[in-house]
Amino acid sequence: MSESSAKKNYCFALVMLLSGFAGISYEILYGRILGNLIGDQFAVSASILITFLLGIGVGAVCSHRLWRHLWLIEALIGLCGLFFAFGTDVLDGFFYAQSQVVPAGLEGTLLICVILLIVPAFLIGCSLPLFAGYLGRLTSGLVFARAYAVYNFGAGLTALLIEFLLIRELGIRGSVILIAAINGLVALLLRTTFAHLRCHGPEASEAPIRFPAQQLAALVLVSIGSAVFQLFMVRLAELLLGPFRETFALVLSIILFGIAAGSTLVKVLRLRFATLLWLNLAGLLVIFGGLESAVSIYAALYQGTAQGPWSAAALKWLTLALLMALPAITFGATIPALLTRQQEVARESGQLLFVSALANATGFLLMSFVLHRHLDYGVQLLVVAAFCAGALLLTLGRRWRPIIGLAAVLLVMVGVHRQCWDEDLLYLSYTSFRSTETLARVKAETTLPDRFKGNQDVFSINWNEGAPYFFINGYISIPLNSPSEKMVGAVSAIFAPRTDQALVLGLGSGATASTVGRLFQHTDVVEINPVVRENLDRMERWHYDIENNPKVKIFVDDGIHFTKLVDKKYSLILNTVTTPLYFSSSKLYTEDFFKVIRQRLTPDGVYVTWLDGRVGDRGTDIILKTLAQGFRNCAILYIDSSYFMLIASQKPLWARHLELPENDHVIRNDLLMAHGTDAQLLPYHLLNTRALDLLGDSSVPINTADRPSLEFEMARLREDGFPLFARRLFDSIDLGQLARALQSVKAYDPVKFAFEASFLYEDSWLRQGLFFLVQQDIVDFEERLSKIHMAYLARQEGLAAESLQHHEAGLALFESSRYAEALEEFLKAQALSPGHENAYFSIGLCHEAMGQVRMAERFYKMELQGDPANQEARQRLERLNSISSRLTR
């Protein structure tokens, strides 16, 4: 090869690298753009992935017909990117204009995504086979393997640079513009430097390219297994490393680098397809046997790398690579290994890529709608192994010795799974893996969780030291039996201008939404995760029977999508969605979302969102600065020492409906008797009515959909707490200002600030600060504090005594077989004292005695939710379940 030919080959390889860099970028960036417009629900991610897979597959198989137009294809890919970058408002209007005429749910979203993405996906699909064909005109050998390696190496770089550099520096729109410019450069080079290659296309032939049917069937099986494996690793990584977009980027980069490495190995070592499948099974076996060791190494090294964002990201990448590198390489090498005899590489590779893309789409659907919903993660990995084994079996033919060896490998894999795989490890929360000591402690304290799955979501109820916790996709929220969520709902109602229409974003356990639902004339509740909605009855003990409240309507939708689509004004909009520590929640703290919220509020309506004390000082400043772009007024209240509420409005804020929680006997009694919280004292959680003035660092960026600075801050956050903000908040507390905001409170007494904080949080900075502020100005502080405490105890003791009387009366009636009357007494006792021992069990006994099996089952379950050690309730429930199953048969 002459020196000039070598230079031209290297130049063409660079052009291919740039094309690969740009190609995968659009799938990531379009996903972000449409996620911002439509929401992050499963239907969106599913539609984007399916459309890209199908579009790329069709583009690959048709690419040889467009041989002369590769430069134009690259230019059009860039133009599509520019349309998405500058046409966001047009796209937004298009989608919501069509939402009234297209089907709801996955079908409608898929239709919209197909319309928007099929053209760029088709064009991207055409690129790789044509680049391989062009390369075949410049050099000889396994040109597809070389092209595949270079193209996917560029794509792997993209996955990392997009997430860790470009979007953070340029924003989503700026990143798309840059990538589109790269496509333009590629198009220009193809049109000028390599124009001669356009004239050396494949010979016109209508004869189909025929690969052996057995070979194509093997490719289909291994491609399905590859898709399942990729989604499996994304879920595994989120559960272990955190539910962040950067986690997805790390997994995607390893998959793409694996394709590049595998293609190179095929080219250099001439690896056979069957050899790759054997190595793949070995790699899956490494995951089964090495997961716990990899997690332990990660936990041991985390503290040493956590201070630097790059070192922390590198540790995560290396941990994932340790587990998945070999399967990623072998899956990625399968198509190059099949193209060992190449004549017209554009047509041949296009056909294989088409088959593989369709099989990938099938694997995605299989994983999402069947495997993920019904199988544990360890079993899902066995399914991946089964697909690979099936492909290997087709390749081996009737050679019995290798088949016997394959059976032995699968048996070993099943044995290693049973002995080494710890499914419960995946349900401990990603924060548990940040030190060896934390991991050991959490494993010892957490009992076996109740696990429930959806298409892509994981939900469980974890028990830790007797307290139930809400677990969703790797993140653990506050205890389900905490009063915090109910207090949020009650306090929000107090500050709302009216109690006519409310919107609650985030159903969760149902505690907050059910509280608002009792206090408002109508409440809409939006929950993004179908699996949470499906299992709401399992959390019945911790909410106010929200499913049977006729004033509440529950929607399974994304909060962004719902608020854009609904045509209604609300007096209260309450965001109780998971903390911004969960990546997708950060979008509910953007300037863009606050603008939408203002359109859905009445002119004097209030928007309530929570401020998690774990988001750090910089995260808090980002939230406050962004909130100030949409609202003039903002008050801050505390729920506990690390859980705060921001109440924002265009109008001045004050406590308007003090009587609401107190007048609702269910909420009042539950808060007082089950949680020790006096509804009369809820207004005294107010700390400041000018919260926007507490911004510390005015140089922090505003959080926008285009530049999600809060999401990036949460991903690199290393320490909990916001000490600087807490100091500013304490210094800003003005009892005179608070008195004016609470002027409608009957018998207002500043000492109640100190009592409420001291009674609930004895050792917190809130108690110390409020005690100091109140005590220094009031001479008879101790005497008044004692009177408040005595009055509180008297209310509690009065309800307890009355509840006990009803419960004892119920027991006597039950012994006399007067079950209906006993039930009335038990219900009265439970209403007065929800935390009464065996309250739900006694109600269940009455229903069982009256032959009301379903109601009895319901209350036995509620009893076990609060007291899992109640063996009699468990035995009765099991017996009733057995009876029900026999009757249904």
Side-chain angles (χ1 to χ4, degrees), residues 489-500 515 518-521 654-669 671 678-683 742 744-746:
V491 174
S492 300
I494 288 174
F495 282 83
R498 286 165 302 283
T499 58
D500 48 1
T515 303
R518 291 190 63 88
L519 300 177
F520 273 71
Q521 296 172 23
W654 72 89
R656 306 176 190 236
H657 304 288
L658 300 164
E659 75 288 350
L660 276 179
E662 177 67 17
N663 289 347
D664 188 296
H665 72 279
V666 172
I667 296 175
R668 178 194 66 209
N669 295 346
L671 289 177
D678 192 340
Q680 294 181 1
L681 300 179
L682 289 177
L742 303 181
S744 58
V745 175
K746 295 178 181 177

Side-chain angles (χ1 to χ4, degrees), residues 498-570:
R498 286 165 302 283
T499 58
D500 48 1
Q501 295 286 336
L503 170 63
V504 179
L505 303 176
L507 175 62
S509 67
T512 302
S514 65
T515 303
V516 175
R518 291 190 63 88
L519 300 177
F520 273 71
Q521 296 172 23
H522 179 79
T523 302
D524 290 330
V525 183
V526 181
E527 172 57 49
I528 191 173
N529 292 321
V531 67
V532 173
R533 176 66 182 91
E534 291 166 7
N535 292 281
L536 186 59
D537 62 307
R538 301 180 187 276
M539 297 174 282
E540 189 173 11
R541 183 182 178 92
W542 302 298
H543 62 71
Y544 300 129
D545 197 16
I546 187 172
E547 292 187 283
N548 294 312
N549 185 342
K551 299 189 298 180
V552 174
K553 188 172 183 179
I554 300 174
F555 299 86
V556 177
D557 200 351
D558 178 90
I560 294 175
H561 178 260
F562 182 87
T563 50
K564 285 184 176 181
L565 194 60
V566 68
D567 184 18
K568 187 186 293 188
K569 297 284 187 178
Y570 297 95

